[in-house]
Every structure is written in structure tokens, then in C-alpha cells.
Amino acid sequence: MATRTTKNGSSTKDNMDAAALLKADHRAVEELFEKYEATRGSATKAKLAQQICLELTIHATIEEEIFYPAVRGEVDDDMMDEAYVEHDGAKVLIAELMEGDVGDDFYDAKVKVLSEEIRHHVKEEEGRGGIFAQARKAGVDMAALGEQLSARKAELKKMFRQTGIPRPETRSMKGVPLTVGQPV
């Protein structure tokens, strides 16, 4: 449920369907990426990068635990498979950012590439004929899913703020060991 303020200053709760909730997450992360891009100070960049990692980890978790299983079979299988792989690609960069430091070689580039990957992923979900549109067309109960997503999101946010962001877990990648050479 989203909270909004009425004209008289009181707050009300609105039911937010799954697509609206996930789109709101997309907009929030896009704004964080824009702030990161415009920031020069290392301490502020570090805080923004942590916030980006937190928001994306929560978002990916609720999609993978609740939304994707609910729409699997109602949405094009290839599109669903790509969504999981896109999440896993983002998780690799999130892990790199979480283990790294703003002053590290390629840190800003990793944030930029993560931003671009997320932008592409958002198009796949929100676009005409995308995952959200296909789910709606199939008659998926987006309101009920929205309630589930909202409750799990609040739970994860509270948990991660207390325990820290967990190490990302991929679902589609095998964890092939890589050799890391010297920066170019």
C-alpha cells in the first residue's frame, strides 16, 4: 500500500497493484542513479551506491520470490528467462559494488553499466508487450500481487537495514570462476 497525503494533511493508504509498485521502484532507482551521476563527493557517492544496491536487492528479491513465479506461464517464457538472467547480471555488479570502494578502478563505470542494464530491464518489463502488459492481459490478479509485494518489501527493508544487504544469489548463472587480470 502506498501512503499519500490528502489536501487536509491527513494520510491515506492506497492499494497499489504489482505493476504500479514495481514501476515506483524503477523510478526511485532511476533517480538514485541520476543523483550518483551528478555527485562528485566520494562519501555521497558511497551512500548513493549503497542505497542503489539496497533498493535493487529488495526489488529483485520481491520479483523473484513473488512476482515472477506468479506470472510464469502467463508471460512469454523467453522473456521470463531473460528477466532472471538480467537480474543475475545486475547482481554480479551489485556484489562488485558492495565489495568495492568508490575510489576503486572502474567503480563509477560499474555503477554506469548497472544503470544501463537496469534501464534495459525496465523496458522489458514496462514496455508495450512487456512482462507487466502480458500479465495484465492474462488476467493475473495484480492487486493481490501488489499487496504481497508491498508486505515482503517492507519486511526485507527492515531486515536489510538491521543486518545489511546480503550477498547476492544468482539463479541462472553457474558461478564460473574468472581470472581477473590487471586493469587496462
Side-chain angles (χ1 to χ4, degrees):
M1 290 192 172
T3 302
R4 68 177 167 86
T5 304
T6 62
K7 288 180 183 178
N8 68 9
S10 65
S11 63
T12 62
K13 297 225 177 209
D14 292 327
N15 286 336
M16 187 178 288
D17 82 4
L21 183 142
L22 296 171
K23 285 179 181 181
D25 284 356
H26 294 163
R27 300 297 85 78
V29 171
E30 288 167 357
E31 186 176 316
L32 289 169
F33 280 123
E34 287 173 15
K35 286 180 182 177
Y36 184 94
E37 196 67 31
T39 299
R40 297 294 164 240
S42 293
T44 304
K45 278 187 164 191
K47 286 179 186 175
L48 286 167
Q50 277 297 111
Q51 187 65 31
I52 289 166
C53 291
L54 173 68
E55 296 297 331
L56 288 175
T57 299
I58 291 170
H59 182 82
T61 301
I62 65 174
E63 280 189 332
E64 291 177 8
E65 287 181 358
I66 300 167
F67 186 71
Y68 289 172
V71 302
R72 179 67 98 168
E74 306 296 334
V75 172
D76 178 71
D77 284 339
D78 289 340
M79 191 172 278
M80 291 304 305
D81 290 348
E82 289 171 20
Y84 280 108
V85 174
E86 288 167 352
H87 274 201
D88 285 352
K91 288 175 188 178
V92 169
L93 286 170
I94 289 167
E96 287 279 324
L97 293 171
M98 288 171 43
E99 291 291 322
D101 183 78
V102 174
D104 291 349
D105 289 337
F106 303 110
Y107 194 89
D108 286 342
K110 290 173 186 175
V111 173
K112 179 71 170 172
V113 170
L114 179 59
S115 171
E116 292 168 352
E117 285 185 5
I118 297 304
R119 191 174 306 121
H120 170 80
H121 180 70
V122 165
K123 279 185 191 176
E124 297 279 319
E125 288 184 339
E126 293 184 11
R128 180 180 257 179
I131 292 173
F132 299 162
Q134 288 183 36
R136 281 191 199 287
K137 185 176 180 181
V140 172
D141 186 346
M142 298 294 267
L145 273 178
E147 289 178 24
Q148 291 175 43
L149 292 170
S150 181
R152 182 65 173 141
K153 181 179 174 179
E155 180 183 304
L156 289 170
K157 197 167 267 208
K158 181 179 179 186
M159 182 172 56
F160 293 170
R161 291 223 162 119
Q162 292 172 350
T163 63
I165 304 168
R167 183 176 216 66
E169 179 180 310
T170 61
R171 296 175 184 271
S172 68
M173 298 192 181
K174 297 178 183 180
V176 176
L178 302 173
T179 303
V180 179
Q182 295 300 312
V184 264

